[in-house]
Amino acid sequence: ATILYNGPVLEHGFNHPYQLSDKLLIAYTKARTNQSVLCDFPRDAINMTHTVENGDIVLLFTDGVLDNLFPKDVEMAVRKWQESDSKHNTTALAVGLTELAVRVSQAPNAHTPFQERAEADGLACQGGKSDDIGVVAARVVQTEPAAEPSNPPDEDRGLE
């Protein structure tokens, strides 16, 4: 398992990731908390296009996974999944990565990417970071193009 593309960390600044939201949710949050809300709208989203091949595994996950797992941890988890009997079950991969990230997030002495970024910003931080943790895993499967409908020409069906 090799990571072919690892997207940029999408954040406004350290520990302030992009927050996709809408105007109603922002107004509701402001009204309930009486605080300003940092958010990003769908029009602010970054669109990316990548070429994939049959059999590729595509992983999408929240910043809580990136805060707690290094790329090598993700590669090891994918390799373990590929070697298991459930290698065609991408749900098992997503669940396994989620469980791993949750375990690390709860470990008081874990060495994490979040800790490294915090220390680079001059902040003391130790252990995993509790955060939203979600994973989507998919396998690219090549399919045959849909066959053209085999309608006979109009004259063969008695139509003029």
Side-chain angles (χ1 to χ4, degrees):
T2 302
I3 295 175
L4 299 178
Y5 178 78
N6 187 3
V9 175
L10 303 175
E11 60 185 9
H12 296 284
F14 174 71
N15 204 25
H16 293 285
Y18 290 2
Q19 299 290 326
L20 192 59
S21 191
D22 64 33
K23 291 179 183 179
L24 291 176
L25 181 60
I26 295 165
Y28 174 78
T29 305
K30 281 183 179 180
R32 294 211 44 190
T33 65
N34 200 27
Q35 296 177 359
S36 64
V37 179
L38 181 63
C39 69
D40 303 283
F41 297 104
R43 69 174 178 269
D44 300 323
I46 296 172
N47 293 310
M48 298 179 189
T49 302
H50 300 280
T51 301
V52 295
E53 295 179 5
N54 190 41
D56 284 354
I57 304 300
V58 178
L59 298 173
L60 305 171
F61 35 78
T62 61
D63 63 310
V65 176
L66 292 172
D67 287 338
N68 290 291
L69 299 180
F70 289 98
K72 66 179 175 62
D73 300 322
V74 174
E75 286 180 346
M76 284 178 32
V78 171
R79 195 171 298 115
K80 181 179 176 183
W81 170 79
Q82 287 174 321
E83 294 167 355
S84 74
D85 289 335
S86 65
K87 68 180 180 180
H88 296 290
N89 182 352
T90 53
T91 301
L93 175 58
V95 169
L97 279 168
T98 301
E99 290 173 346
L100 176 61
V102 167
R103 275 195 311 276
V104 172
S105 77
Q106 297 169 346
N109 296 315
H111 178 76
T112 65
F114 183 82
Q115 177 184 358
E116 286 187 0
R117 290 194 310 272
E119 289 173 354
D121 272 21
L123 303 171
C125 179
Q126 184 175 358
K129 180 180 185 274
S130 180
D131 201 351
D132 60 313
I133 294 176
V135 178
V136 175
R139 175 191 299 276
V140 176
V141 178
Q142 183 175 353
T143 59
E144 295 300 321
E148 291 292 321
S150 58
N151 292 336
D154 288 345
E155 62 272 2
D156 291 345
R157 295 186 298 162
L159 301 174
E160 297 180 0

